[in-house]
Amino acid sequence: MTRRVAVIGGGLAGITAALQCADAGCQVTVFESRPQLGGLTHSFARGDLNVDNGQHVFLRCCTSYLALLRRLGVADRVELQPRLAIPVCSPGADAPVWLRRTALPAPLHLAASLLQYRPLSTMERVRFALAAVALKRVDPTLAATDEQNFGTWLRRHGQSNHAISALWELVGIATLNSRADQASLSLAATVFQEGLLTDASAADIGWSLVPLRELHGDPALACLDAAGAQVRTSAAVRGIQPVPEGWQITTDGAPTIADQVILAVPPAAAEQLLPTDSVTATPGWSQRLGSVPIINVHVVLDRPVLSEPFIAGVDTPVQWVFDRTAQSRLRHGQYLAVSLSAADDLVNTPTADLRAQFLPELTALLPKMRDAQVRDFFVTRERHATFRPAPGSAALRPSAVTGARGLFLAGAWTATGWPATMEGAARSGAAAATALLETSPTDVVAEVA
Ligand SMILES: Cc1cc2nc3c(=O)[nH]c(=O)nc-3n(C[C@H](O)[C@H](O)[C@H](O)COP(=O)(O)OP(=O)(O)OC[C@H]3O[C@@H](n4cnc5c(N)ncnc54)[C@H](O)[C@@H]3O)c2cc1C
């Protein structure tokens, strides 16, 4: 008997899970409430401009995400640095300071850059190196580690507020979507261990060369179709319940019966749909897990002002700036996106106020902005970009296998050990599909009946 699998949610987690199940011979139906696949990675048109809902980057250590890109046949639509190189800009500085890796093994690969990292004093650089060695020894899998606050741990290991903002948060804020003082030590240790302290090439940075829709959503639709899966977009699932034949999935149309279900929706939607007692956390867990916004400030200029694909900012509210000219298919001038993570304080700021704040800040980093004309300025706001990676969040992240037989969970917010990233989403989808495929569908039906 071909097993019928319903995947609810067509973000990267749902896409990964659905493809794995379809490739294994299951009869897969994907339910996605939006008109397109891709979830939190999507694009829209603003006149002739192709705009992403927010700049996304990945690292070479994101192996599950890179496997997904290969499965989607789009690995040639991304750029991956041959060697980590981050130009770090400060207001008024003549030239960026470069964080570059050398050919040495980790963690020595960053030693030369660190020695020349002008934003930190010599003593701060030495203390940074000592704290990095100590962070490598932290066990992120312990509940006691997850209960600790990363900022407090850094200060206990000799880090000044300035070192935290000028170096630790340069990497941490974008990967964790949190300031150090609000972040779980476990998640921070995972990011730094996986990205910077173990394998020298792990933190090489990658980004899409096309709008996200052409990287994820559209190719996923084509691949799922080719693999024999049915994709139902604009199909919000209203309820799931166990029935003698398996699971009944209720939408606004006729109900669907599946043998097994992978629920790959955001936490609040998952808690609403999950049967009572199917996860160990007590009711209200999704609200306690919470979410953190990311906003992007988009600036279209009449001329190029940035010669690198991206820069990071130090001693400025500008976190990361990306040249989006090619991806957006802008023909004249340059299009920059300023990505602002952990944006609780900015998400409700009116666009005019953001313009008044960020254009002068950008000009202080990019002197060529002084002569440029701003052709367009707009802001994208994702209020629930990621779960809140706070101390204690691990206890609120359920694993792929639920207490309800035949029902599995996926999503970047589930218990992957990673912060909410594209890698976390792909890992969670693979974990849910693997767990499902290891369970016999006939056992499932027999037990429910
Ligand atoms: C602005 C921004 C910038 C980011 N930057 C980065 C970055 O640089 N690098 C990185 O790795 N990650 C980044 N992320 C995080 C990354 O995008 C997410 O972690 C990842 O895409 C989440 O995928 P997911 O499948 O777990 O969830 P989602 O993408 O949220 O997918 C869930 C899907 O379920 C659907 N759904 C909800 N309810 C229902 C229902 N009842 N029935 C049917 N469908 C339903 C939703 O419409 C959605 O499509 C960023 C996120 C944002 C928003």
Side-chain angles (χ1 to χ4, degrees):
M1 183 188 101
T2 307
R3 73 172 98 178
R4 299 159 299 176
V5 173
V7 176
I8 304 171
L12 297 184
I15 291 168
T16 308
L19 280 169
Q20 193 171 323
C21 291
D23 290 345
C26 303
Q27 186 186 317
V28 175
T29 308
V30 179
F31 297 86
E32 167 53 53
S33 55
R34 296 190 194 183
Q36 75 281 326
L37 300 180
L40 285 168
T41 66
H42 59 92
S43 317
F44 60 93
R46 182 177 169 96
D48 290 342
L49 209 62
N50 287 278
V51 181
D52 286 349
N53 66 316
Q55 175 67 41
H56 279 67
V57 300
F58 61 94
L59 305 180
R60 195 183 289 280
C61 62
C62 295
T63 48
S64 299
Y65 173 67
L66 284 163
L68 174 64
L69 294 185
R70 285 194 296 276
R71 175 63 186 85
L72 294 176
V74 295
D76 59 345
R77 296 184 195 174
V78 295
E79 176 84 27
L80 181 52
Q81 294 181 322
R83 260 192 202 174
L84 173 70
I86 305 175
V88 181
C89 296
S90 324
D94 295 340
V97 178
W98 285 83
L99 277 176
R100 279 196 181 99
R101 78 169 167 99
T102 60
L104 290 172
L108 298 175
H109 63 314
L110 293 173
S113 272
L114 189 59
L115 283 173
Q116 292 159 22
Y117 191 67
R118 289 194 307 268
L120 297 194
S121 68
T122 309
M123 185 51 78
E124 282 174 328
R125 290 176 219 172
V126 172
R127 289 198 171 132
F128 175 88
L130 293 173
V133 171
L135 189 58
K136 197 177 172 194
R137 289 199 299 264
V138 167
D139 182 350
T141 62
L142 298 178
T145 309
D146 185 59
E147 293 294 339
Q148 291 182 56
N149 171 303
F150 183 43
T152 306
W153 186 94
L154 285 173
R155 284 191 195 87
R156 224 184 317 126
H157 287 79
Q159 303 305 291
S160 63
N161 286 343
H162 178 250
I164 292 174
S165 67
L167 193 47
W168 292 100
E169 289 189 340
L170 187 86
V171 178
I173 199 165
T175 44
L176 293 162
N177 197 17
S178 174
R179 295 263 168 210
D181 281 333
Q182 278 84 47
S184 134
L185 175 59
S186 278
L187 288 167
T190 300
V191 163
F192 283 94
Q193 288 175 3
E194 296 273 347
L196 289 175
L197 301 172
T198 310
D199 175 350
S201 68
D204 301 341
I205 298 176
W207 60 92
S208 179
L209 298 171
V210 297
L212 285 172
R213 185 182 182 140
E214 294 175 25
L215 189 69
H216 300 146
D218 291 349
L221 188 63
C223 283
L224 284 163
D225 187 48
Q230 199 196 345
V231 178
R232 292 177 56 184
T233 48
S234 304
V237 169
R238 308 288 180 203
I240 52 172
Q241 58 190 127
V243 291
E245 315 90 276
W247 287 86
Q248 177 171 289
I249 291 95
T250 311
T251 59
D252 292 337
T256 305
I257 301 292
D259 299 310
Q260 290 162 298
V261 175
I262 294 176
L263 193 52
V265 297
E271 182 166 10
Q272 220 176 356
L273 290 171
L274 278 167
T276 322
D277 295 337
S278 52
V279 293
T280 47
T282 52
W285 59 266
S286 61
Q287 212 180 350
R288 294 199 296 282
L289 184 59
S291 61
V292 186
I294 297 177
I295 71 167
N296 273 223
V297 164
H298 306 256
V299 188
V300 181
L301 299 154
D302 67 340
R303 70 196 71 187
V305 300
L306 170 65
S307 49
E308 309 297 341
F310 61 83
I311 55 167
V314 158
D315 298 330
T316 162
V318 174
Q319 295 172 9
W320 289 76
V321 185
F322 295 86
D323 178 4
R324 302 221 25 104
T325 311
Q327 294 90 330
S328 68
R329 313 220 162 98
L330 181 74
R331 291 219 200 90
H332 307 288
Q334 191 172 41
Y335 166 19
L336 304 180
V338 183
S339 177
L340 297 162
S341 300
D344 298 85
D345 295 343
L346 293 173
V347 71
N348 291 320
T349 305
T351 301
D353 294 357
L354 291 171
R355 182 179 177 127
Q357 180 182 6
F358 279 95
L359 287 183
E361 297 287 2
L362 269 176
T363 308
L365 297 181
L366 303 169
K368 286 185 184 163
M369 282 269 300
R370 274 188 222 121
D371 302 321
Q373 298 293 317
V374 176
R375 290 219 167 116
D376 196 5
F377 183 101
F378 58 99
V379 179
T380 46
R381 301 165 205 261
E382 287 286 359
R383 290 178 186 278
H384 307 287
T386 69
F387 73 86
R388 193 167 288 282
S393 52
L396 299 167
R397 300 177 68 188
S399 61
V401 179
T402 73
R405 201 160 270 271
L407 177 61
F408 301 86
L409 278 176
W413 55 274
T414 59
T416 62
W418 278 61
T421 52
M422 298 189 288
E423 172 68 7
R427 280 179 179 228
S428 75
T434 302
L436 179 148
L437 293 167
E438 281 170 356
T439 319
S440 158
T442 45
D443 286 354
V444 173
V445 175
E447 287 223 10
V448 173

